[in-house]
Amino acid sequence: MARLYVRYLSILMTLACSHSVQAQEDAADLVFFGAKIYTMDEATPWAEAVAIRGDTIVYVGSNAGVDAFVGPGTQNRDLAGKLLLPGFIDSHMHVGSTLPYLFAASLSPAMTRSEALEAIAQHAQEYPDQDPLIGTGFLGAAFGPEGPTAKDLDSVVSDRAVIIFDEGFHSAWVNTVAMDAVGLTADTPDPKPGAHFYRRYPDGSPTGWLIEGEAFGWVAESLGVIDAEILDRSADEFFASMSAMGITAAFDAGMIEGDGQLFRFMGGRADAGKLPVRIVGSHYVNSERGLLTAMDDLGRLSREYEHEFFDVEVLKVSLDGTVEAQTAYTIDPYLEPPGHRAEPLVPLEKTKEVVAAAAEQKIDVHLHAIGDGAVRMGLDLVEYARSEHPDSTSRFTICHAQVVNPADVPRFGELDVIVQSTPTWYAYDDIALAYLGEERLAHMYPLKSIAAAGGKVTLGSDFPASWIGLDGMNPVFNIEMALTRQPPGDKDYLPQPPVDERINLEQAIRGYTIDGAFQLGLEKEIGSITPGKQADMVVLNKDLFSLDAHGIHETKVVLTMVNGKIVFELP
């Protein structure tokens, strides 16, 4: 009997040890509990707790249920009712192209001519060795019909070249030294008259305002706007800002500068494990010349950069420019200047050929369209590509969609086209009113109608093309303005028409999470808090669902996690 008892005790101890080992193997590395978790997972929309093992979510559910994943080495974090969301996904920004300009002269679209010149003069004093002197953020319309001129810049900086990019990076402003340095003269032909061109005086000499990329890109390259020595310093600062805003993934809508230097820099960062944000890159095309080699160029980039945190898989084509630069392509002429017609940046037939080729190769396509003519052109391109290759799995996005003719609204759903937009632009647009008139002002950013007709909506910052500085990159600012169509916190400001196109909070969060992941082709990996997905999450100090919409922008990020690692935590 004694032997049986000893044997029975031995079996119990073995089973207990085995259970203990199994429990340790199943234990999570980190558990968040006591949270209000909006998962974006339709199967379990709300939860209290989440368990993470390594880089993966292993449990989402109740506080009681998560106990099964707690072991001796598990870190337990009580979120005390704070809101936990999937990590924010910025569906359109220019990560790489921000870095060369992080220490540039920072202007604002609200600045007058004299204010802009004063800011440039002050920057020149603070950075006496910056050559060329670089700046961003001016608004061409603030300078009147003539626009900004080299003579203006000469009055404050004449000892070195100056190049200043506008708020949307669709035009550049240079001084005389810069034009002399690159050989820009009256004899320099416009790359594409009416689309990529130089503003000129009656005698043909350039004024110093260069419109669209083919006109200013070669100037920027010749002047050497990228300083390799500051890219690392800029990246450390900028990525820290992204993490502090809860951004865990982003679509980079074009690294235009540097003849591939920015791609190499980002690839090197990814290889070194120094990217705290997932970046899906693109090959950017905005001219007929670029279309000729677009597919070969994208193929080369795609093969060269294939990393979990940085790959290049998307074709980006700019169909037009911007309303404020008078290069947005519209169905009807501008009201001001009377009868003005902007031209598309790329020819229709060649663009159809390239977009169809992308569909044939199952490559996603991202189309920049501001004017209603460009939006219609984009939808026509998708319709053609889908008719040519009906079995293609390519995903098509039309970004910005500032003005959409009502007849084109249902086509987003019919053609399965994503509309991507930047809500921090949704302040009453006096420039659009003056240039396009009241009727087209009432056709701006119809996100609610597009969503109601079956189109997916994604949200992003288009940073650094932000009208409100660094706040323009902040998802909570964009979420608020998607709900209000007013400047942050300003209930009395005239809303951007049409007011009934305000979307709700659930739609806005979807646009920054699961639908953003879909646009990036990553919805199986991120975008919702679901077991088996990567642990990309953000904790906010306020419950967005209990706030007045005009107070959402005051919300702070408490913690940001990417791949199970905390990349930001509020001190």
Side-chain angles (χ1 to χ4, degrees), residues 261-562:
Q261 185 175 354
L262 293 177
F263 285 100
R264 292 189 291 274
F265 175 78
M266 298 297 287
R269 276 253 164 175
D271 290 340
K274 296 174 69 176
L275 278 181
V277 58
R278 305 174 194 275
I279 298 172
V280 174
S282 65
H283 173 53
Y284 176 88
V285 177
N286 68 348
S287 68
E288 183 172 10
R289 181 169 59 89
L291 287 172
L292 297 177
T293 59
M295 297 307 296
D296 289 340
D297 292 339
L298 177 58
R300 174 180 51 80
L301 290 168
S302 181
R303 290 188 297 272
E304 191 168 349
Y305 302 105
E306 191 172 358
H307 189 281
E308 180 185 3
F309 276 75
F310 179 61
D311 62 6
V312 184
E313 302 291 342
V314 181
L315 176 65
K316 159 75 181 296
V317 183
S318 276
L319 303 182
D320 69 344
T322 65
V323 172
E324 53 272 14
Q326 299 175 357
T327 52
Y329 177 46
T330 56
I331 295 172
D332 297 314
Y334 284 57
L335 298 184
E336 183 63 40
H340 170 67
R341 292 298 299 269
E343 295 291 330
L345 298 183
V346 289
L348 176 60
E349 292 305 316
K350 183 60 180 177
T351 309
K352 284 173 63 176
E353 178 186 321
V354 172
V355 171
E360 183 178 21
Q361 297 181 37
K362 299 178 173 56
I363 291 169
D364 293 349
V365 180
H366 197 90
L367 300 170
H368 167 115
I370 292 283
D372 53 6
V375 172
R376 180 166 292 177
M377 178 180 173
L379 292 166
D380 289 346
L381 290 168
V382 175
E383 186 171 28
Y384 175 77
R386 291 209 184 282
S387 67
E388 289 291 298
H389 304 287
D391 296 327
S392 174
T393 57
S394 294
R395 295 176 183 182
F396 294 93
T397 301
I398 292 180
C399 65
H400 311 318
Q402 182 172 345
V403 186
V404 183
N405 187 282
D408 291 317
V409 166
R411 297 181 69 196
F412 283 86
E414 292 165 2
L415 294 169
D416 192 20
V417 176
I418 301 161
V419 62
Q420 189 286 324
S421 194
T422 297
T424 54
W425 296 351
Y426 300 178
Y428 193 86
D429 197 333
D430 294 309
I431 296 171
L433 176 61
Y435 289 178
L436 303 179
E438 289 189 8
E439 182 177 354
R440 282 179 287 195
L441 188 72
H443 297 163
M444 291 177 66
Y445 310 116
L447 300 193
K448 184 176 180 181
S449 294
I450 290 173
K456 274 189 169 62
V457 173
T458 62
L459 303 179
S461 65
D462 199 19
F463 198 85
S466 167
W467 287 55
I468 59 172
L470 192 61
D471 288 335
M473 188 172 71
N474 196 327
V476 296
F477 276 74
N478 278 284
I479 288 171
E480 175 176 322
M481 291 184 67
L483 273 58
T484 68
R485 295 173 78 98
Q486 294 168 292
D490 195 342
K491 296 181 180 181
D492 299 323
Y493 199 94
L494 192 63
Q496 169 60 51
V499 176
D500 59 4
E501 289 294 349
R502 290 167 165 165
I503 63 175
N504 61 37
L505 180 59
E506 291 81 2
Q507 287 176 305
I509 294 175
R510 283 192 67 90
Y512 257 108
T513 56
I514 189 63
D515 286 347
F518 180 87
Q519 180 194 307
L520 271 59
L522 295 175
E523 74 277 10
K524 293 181 180 179
E525 290 81 23
I526 59 174
S528 68
I529 301 175
T530 302
K533 286 193 174 184
Q534 301 300 103
D536 290 10
M537 295 180 282
V538 58
V539 180
L540 304 179
N541 71 337
K542 296 181 180 180
D543 175 10
L544 301 183
F545 292 88
S546 65
L547 297 177
D548 176 84
H550 292 88
I552 288 175
H553 72 282
E554 297 175 347
T555 303
K556 303 296 182 186
V557 170
V558 174
L559 180 148
T560 304
M561 171 177 283
V562 177

